Amino acid sequence: MPAFALDAADPPPVEIVRPRAPRPLVLTCEHGGNALPAHLAGRAPAPADMARHIAWDVGAAAVARGLAARLQAALCLQRYSRLVIDCNRPRHAPDLAPAVSDGTPVPFNATLSEPDLDARWTAIHAPFHAAVAGLLDARPGGALVAVHSFTPRLRGGPPRPMMAGLLVRQDPTLAEALQRALAASAPDAAVVLNQPYAIEDASDYTIPVHAERRGLPHVLIEIRNDLIATPAGVARWTALLADALAPATGDHAWTSTA
Ligand SMILES: [Zn+2]
């Protein structure tokens, strides 16, 4: 009997939005959802905790969906909570399925075995990244943009005043173009490079595996989640980012409504 499996009543892990969109750009949202498989619900953190940044990137899916619509771009979105398995972590990251996240215990991760982790990887992580690879295969040379959000303050940590971070390690071309465009369109927006995180093999999966190995233009966008906690905030940041990304990701050639 498998250690972990989704059953027929659980939603599939991956949602692909606009799979045939023509723009040579793939959007990803690894922490977009906070769904739980039904069999874990009885050992989950409290609902209020499942609504916080420990369970998902608050607001990120709404911005990613808005970007997919405005840019006519494909989006690969993960439905399950990062607490079940973090789809932007490599297999042996210590926080792949954390027993405690930002001070909050996660009971369904309290006693996980390696076969448990393998089974979650197979059921949730692997199909997400197979879908990302498929979308990139269909758009040779296309860019990859990952959409995330961060909490203004971790428990016991210093405030994080930046409004958005553009994370990149190997090729800063797209991140720098985006930063310049945002500085021109929203000088108040405090957009910085490689804060509050950096791309690292130990803590990242999508950018190293899909973008760096293929040599694709890429950036991981982190938006402070209090800025995208309302529909008005989502609309503002979606518009700012779409206008900044469009010229750098093939804006001249893609006008259809896929
Ligand atoms: Zn994230």
Side-chain angles (χ1 to χ4, degrees):
M1 183 175 162
F4 172 95
L6 299 178
D7 70 31
D10 292 319
V14 185
E15 179 183 353
I16 302 179
V17 179
R18 298 176 184 268
R20 288 174 293 283
R23 185 181 291 267
L25 166 67
V26 173
L27 300 163
T28 64
C29 196
E30 291 79 1
H31 304 146
N34 65 350
L36 294 177
H39 76 280
L40 295 185
R43 292 180 292 140
D49 287 319
M50 288 303 301
R52 296 196 301 123
H53 72 276
I54 62 169
W56 62 340
D57 282 359
V58 176
V63 172
R65 289 181 193 279
L67 290 175
R70 290 180 69 116
L71 292 167
Q72 297 294 313
L75 162 65
C76 192
L77 198 145
Q78 173 56 251
R79 291 191 173 100
Y80 285 104
S81 171
R82 64 187 303 168
L83 296 176
V84 180
I85 187 164
D86 190 323
C87 280
N88 196 35
R89 293 289 186 275
R91 170 63 184 81
H92 295 290
D95 56 351
L96 183 69
V100 177
S101 180
D102 201 17
T104 300
V106 184
F108 58 62
N109 292 341
T111 56
L112 286 179
S113 66
E114 287 301 311
D116 288 328
L117 289 169
D118 284 338
R120 291 190 190 187
W121 183 275
T122 299
I124 295 176
H125 195 292
F128 180 84
H129 289 286
V132 174
L135 292 171
L136 290 170
D137 288 344
R139 293 161 181 79
L144 191 157
V145 173
V147 180
H148 291 252
S149 71
F150 63 95
T151 182
R153 187 169 216 154
L154 288 168
R155 184 176 295 200
R160 293 157 144 184
M162 73 291 290
M163 299 172 82
L166 305 175
L167 278 47
V168 66
R169 178 172 63 174
Q170 282 190 0
D171 177 2
T173 309
L174 179 56
E176 290 174 355
L178 194 51
Q179 189 182 34
R180 281 194 299 274
L182 290 167
S185 63
D188 63 317
V191 177
V192 296
L193 294 180
N194 294 321
Q195 292 181 44
Y197 302 110
I199 302 291
E200 296 173 8
D201 289 332
S203 61
D204 285 271
Y205 191 89
T206 296
I207 296 296
V209 168
H210 295 293
E212 292 180 349
R213 284 186 195 168
R214 292 178 190 239
L216 301 178
H218 63 274
V219 63
L220 188 156
I221 300 171
E222 289 273 6
I223 308 163
R224 207 178 69 211
N225 67 22
D226 59 311
L227 301 173
I228 50 174
T230 64
V234 167
R236 177 178 191 233
W237 279 87
T238 300
L240 281 175
L241 291 169
D243 289 349
L245 279 167
T249 57
D251 192 47
H252 55 288
W254 312 103
T255 56
S256 88
T257 54

